[in-house]
Amino acid sequence: MGGWAIAVHGGAGVDPNLPLQRQEEAKRLLTRCLNLGISALRSNLPAIDVVELVVRELESDPLFNSGRGSALTEKGTVEMEASIMDGTKRRCGAVSGVTTVKNPVSLARLVMEKSPHSYLAFSGAEDFARQQGVEMVENDYFITEENVGMLKLAKEANSILFDYRIPLPGTCAAGAAATNTPIRMNGLPISVYAPETVGCTVVDRQGRCAAATSTGGLMNKKIGRIGDSPLIGSGTYAGKLCGVSCTGEGEAIIRATLARDVAAVMEYKGLGLQAAVDFVIKERLDDGKAGLIAVSSKGEVACGFNANGMFRGCATEDGFMEVGIW
Amino acid sequence: MGWAIALHGGAGDIPRSLSPDRRLPREAALRHCLQLGVSALQSHAHPLDVVELVVRELENHPQFNAGKGSVLTTDGTVEMEACIMDGKTMRCGAVSGLTTVVNAVSVARLVMDKTPHIYLGFQGAEAFAREHGLETVDPSHFITPENIERLKQAKEANRVQIDYTQPIKQDEKSEVLAATGGSGDSQIGTVGCVAVDRDGNLATATSTGGLVNKMVGRIGDTPVIGAGTYANSYCAVSATGRGEAVIRATVARDVAALMEYKGLSLQEAAAYVVGERVPQGTAGLVAVSASGEVTMPFNTTGMFRACATEDGYTEIGIWPTEQE
């Protein structure tokens, strides 16, 4: 094979009752982002630049759960996190608890390139952002009306279930949420808790892999809760052989060190990309629900998920292109 | 098969010229903590309880870089982080940015046991600890004169070396950070403990104050599952060293992955990761396997460490044993 390849995602675990119009909007956004990435790859932009570019676009659009349009914390605020990794030397950068930086993925990139560290969080990350002169906005820039409504539903759902690990029968009385869907993520109705984390992974013509992931995290999360997206090896990983970005139930992804495992299985078991992806989705998630996108240094692209659907798009240099949800 | 335990007080550029007044108390502490852990295992305590107990003890000791005695941020403050993981269930808990809680490892344990989450940071973690009645103190409790001095030296070295607005190439990061280590009694460690009981139940816990002169908000490898801390049904691992290098190499996860995916033994897997996956002088780890083996490799000058197995083997050390 050889040649470039790109994959993007907008979250694993989709509400089966998602209105058609919303599905179309999602596919349009994924297509637009894919095309952005493809143009960049055709102009020979390195993989690390392409993933940042594409994830910035996803963060700026309010549709998915990152940047503007992020899920809200229990206090109704936004706390974002992101990570980025360059496979060539396994350089990485990550941020958590970001509240005023317009594009968290770019801040993660700056951590990687302009700081002596790999991961900065909360006020330290914000101070660094100011020092670097990145674009900063008020926290309410990220808050959408839709998510304010979702938070209310989430609180109602939560007040009924105080231990999410206790399985409940199919229905729940969460206000106006679709009450007849038995699908749950993080133990709560998917109509409210769909992860919709975003990510992108790319291999350029030189065979260099990169990956980036960005999110607002779990709806109604405790202040300070950190998920898988900023954790290298869990939500994001890139090495010489592949690049991976994951989404879904954060805790399950962390326990599975999902992103690293795709690469580890390729490296240590000698599996090819799709086989590695299939293996980790099948074997590493137990009862967790998640999905991932991956590219290999050879120009292949793959995705896998055990959740109900995953917003995704992928393309390779030989002309293959696909955008899908189910 | 039998129980096994290993613990560390940090890997780094520990000079052989370390004066007795700095060496002896740490050796005594390692011995004391080892005994604590061994007694607990002999009393059939669960490995999770054992590692938490031992790490709490290491956190309380002012000469290791965790809890009291944590190194200072560039602002002269303390920000502690910790992580705990249960190999059998793969449940885990992690915290970062703690400033007043006496035992970070216990907060991590509570996050694991009492929330549906894995990782809480900064103000959220502090609030959570308070909600659960954990012991908190004034932040000055954790600061020691030794660490104030280390910070001073690091800043003096830094003034020449780090300009944060210039790009730092990844391979330069290690050298740049090495210069901030100060006098050579470099406190770049963390503390950690791994244990396995007779039934093969594995657990690990790691705790740290992080890197001398670190940026406020800097998170290292300790709370990143798969980097500084990891346990599954094959082994339990706690790593120490330059956090940035340990994260990139997903050190703790890779030891287990090599055992599982390549069939390496605990010893081989750990030696490979420390020897080949991280730059020289950046890391060490302690690990135990489900069958009661133990290994403590490091590629730094030294690593404060101790281990014991049920069949009577005991080791307490700082520098590589071959050189003695």
Side-chain angles (χ1 to χ4, degrees):
Chain A
M1 265 190 100
W4 55 255
I6 175 173
V8 304
H9 73 73
V14 184
D15 182 0
N17 296 316
L18 194 68
L20 223 57
Q21 191 212 15
R22 192 47 197 246
Q23 295 185 38
E24 290 308 311
E25 260 186 296
K27 293 209 284 211
R28 275 198 297 276
L29 175 59
L30 291 166
T31 304
R32 191 173 88 231
C33 291
L34 211 54
N35 283 328
L36 201 67
I38 291 170
S39 288
L41 283 162
R42 286 191 180 133
S43 319
N44 283 317
L45 216 62
I48 188 73
D49 293 330
V50 180
V51 298
E52 183 190 355
L53 182 71
V54 171
V55 173
R56 281 177 68 94
E57 187 71 16
L58 288 160
E59 285 171 341
S60 303
D61 194 294
L63 193 68
F64 293 128
N65 176 11
S66 69
R68 193 158 122 74
S70 279
L72 306 182
T73 66
E74 64 184 354
K75 297 215 156 88
T77 56
V78 163
E79 274 181 8
M80 300 166 288
E81 44 197 21
S83 63
I84 188 166
M85 191 161 187
D86 180 353
T88 47
K89 286 187 175 174
R90 291 176 301 150
R91 304 181 306 146
C92 46
V95 290
S96 280
V98 170
T99 55
T100 62
V101 175
K102 196 149 183 244
N103 289 100
V105 71
S106 294
L107 187 62
R109 174 115 192 237
L110 284 171
V111 170
M112 175 172 87
E113 293 183 335
K114 297 278 178 77
S115 87
H117 302 318
S118 295
Y119 190 6
L120 288 181
F122 294 89
S123 63
E126 298 270 320
D127 289 343
F128 176 68
R130 250 184 299 278
Q131 214 189 77
Q132 295 289 320
V134 305
E135 192 176 357
M136 305 190 64
V137 293
E138 295 293 316
N139 195 249
D140 55 27
Y141 161 84
F142 305 102
I143 300 174
T144 59
E145 236 179 77
E146 188 187 324
N147 279 320
V148 171
M150 283 300 190
L151 180 63
K152 194 154 165 292
L153 295 176
K155 285 183 181 292
E156 280 162 20
N158 255 347
S159 67
I160 294 161
L161 312 156
F162 34 66
D163 179 351
Y164 87 112
R165 281 165 288 209
I166 298 171
L168 278 193
T171 60
C172 90
T179 56
N180 53 5
T181 168
I183 293 182
R184 300 180 174 298
M185 297 278 298
N186 298 292
L188 291 148
I190 198 178
S191 53
V192 178
Y193 285 88
E196 295 189 349
T197 291
V198 304
C200 178
T201 183
V202 155
V203 56
D204 59 28
R205 281 181 180 135
Q206 280 70 43
R208 297 175 294 203
C209 300
T213 314
S214 180
T215 190
L218 197 58
M219 183 65 75
N220 199 28
K221 65 183 178 178
K222 284 177 103 58
I223 297 287
R225 179 263 187 181
I226 293 173
D228 65 292
S229 301
L231 302 187
I232 297 296
S234 289
T236 305
Y237 188 81
K240 289 221 152 59
L241 295 182
C242 65
V244 186
S245 171
C246 306
T247 164
E249 293 181 317
E251 284 71 16
I253 293 169
I254 294 173
R255 275 199 296 277
T257 52
L258 206 62
R260 172 57 186 143
D261 268 45
V262 172
V265 153
M266 288 180 77
E267 256 176 278
Y268 300 145
K269 261 171 101 84
L271 296 195
L273 186 72
Q274 188 70 60
V277 169
D278 293 341
F279 177 87
V280 312
I281 293 289
K282 180 154 179 276
E283 303 293 332
R284 291 266 84 97
L285 287 171
D286 298 327
D287 345 302
K289 293 282 177 241
L292 62 93
I293 50 170
V295 293
S296 75
S297 56
K298 296 198 264 191
E300 303 156 300
V301 72
C303 67
F305 53 96
N306 69 355
N308 184 62
M310 179 167 77
F311 294 106
R312 67 205 181 275
C314 50
T316 57
E317 187 161 11
D318 62 8
F320 171 74
M321 181 153 162
E322 182 184 83
V323 170
I325 301 179
W326 313 108
Chain B
M1 254 179 90
W3 55 255
I5 179 172
L7 56 108
H8 68 79
D13 187 22
I14 308 166
R16 281 184 183 271
S17 56
L18 190 66
S19 62
D21 67 307
R22 298 189 132 187
R23 177 172 55 86
L24 295 172
R26 286 173 172 112
E27 278 175 356
L30 291 171
R31 190 166 297 119
H32 168 71
C33 291
L34 185 67
Q35 196 42 57
L36 214 62
V38 167
S39 298
L41 280 166
Q42 283 168 338
S43 322
H44 308 295
H46 190 280
L48 264 181
D49 295 327
V50 176
V51 300
E52 185 187 356
L53 175 73
V54 171
V55 170
R56 282 175 67 96
E57 197 69 14
L58 288 162
E59 284 170 340
N60 294 342
H61 196 283
Q63 287 193 317
F64 292 119
N65 177 16
K68 190 169 155 84
S70 282
V71 299
L72 307 181
T73 69
T74 195
D75 281 5
T77 54
V78 161
E79 281 180 2
M80 300 169 286
E81 46 196 21
C83 187
I84 188 166
M85 189 161 186
D86 174 29
K88 185 169 187 179
T89 60
M90 310 273 297
R91 291 183 312 131
C92 38
V95 287
S96 280
L98 291 176
T99 54
T100 66
V101 185
V102 176
N103 291 104
V105 70
S106 296
V107 188
R109 177 99 194 247
L110 273 181
V111 172
M112 176 176 84
D113 286 342
K114 297 273 158 87
T115 76
H117 299 322
I118 283 178
Y119 192 2
L120 288 181
F122 297 81
Q123 294 191 353
E126 285 270 316
F128 173 74
R130 280 194 174 75
E131 269 166 46
H132 283 83
L134 288 188
E135 191 185 354
T136 59
V137 290
D138 187 271
S140 59
H141 160 90
F142 304 99
I143 299 176
T144 60
E146 265 187 356
N147 280 310
I148 293 176
E149 182 55 33
R150 281 196 187 91
L151 180 63
K152 185 159 162 281
Q153 289 175 5
K155 282 182 180 287
E156 275 157 24
N158 261 356
R159 204 166 294 134
V160 183
Q161 255 136 359
I162 294 180
D163 173 358
Y164 289 175
T165 62
Q166 295 309 304
I168 294 177
K169 297 204 288 267
Q170 186 74 37
D171 48 356
E172 272 176 11
K173 280 193 186 188
S174 303
E175 290 91 62
V176 159
L177 290 173
T180 71
S183 64
D185 171 28
S186 98
Q187 196 60 305
I188 59 165
T190 56
V191 302
C193 181
V194 291
V196 60
D197 64 18
R198 283 186 186 136
D199 301 321
N201 293 309
L202 291 145
T204 173
T206 316
S207 179
T208 190
L211 214 52
V212 182
N213 199 24
K214 65 182 181 180
M215 289 172 72
V216 169
R218 176 264 188 184
I219 293 176
D221 63 287
T222 293
V224 180
I225 299 287
T229 310
Y230 187 78
N232 65 4
S233 58
Y234 284 80
C235 63
V237 185
S238 171
T240 164
R242 293 292 175 201
E244 287 70 16
V246 175
I247 289 174
R248 286 165 68 208
T250 54
V251 167
R253 172 61 185 129
D254 268 42
V255 174
L258 282 161
M259 290 179 76
E260 182 173 355
Y261 299 142
K262 263 199 127 131
L264 297 193
S265 70
L266 180 76
Q267 210 101 12
E268 290 166 338
Y272 179 80
V273 173
V274 167
E276 308 291 328
R277 302 290 294 190
V278 285
Q280 184 64 24
T282 62
L285 63 91
V286 295
V288 289
S289 70
S291 56
E293 302 157 296
V294 71
T295 186
M296 305 190 291
F298 51 97
N299 68 12
T300 48
T301 310
M303 180 170 80
F304 294 105
R305 64 198 188 281
C307 70
T309 57
E310 186 164 7
D311 62 9
Y313 177 74
T314 299
E315 185 187 323
I316 296 176
I318 303 177
W319 298 282
T321 47
E322 311 87 77
Q323 289 181 24
E324 271 156 9

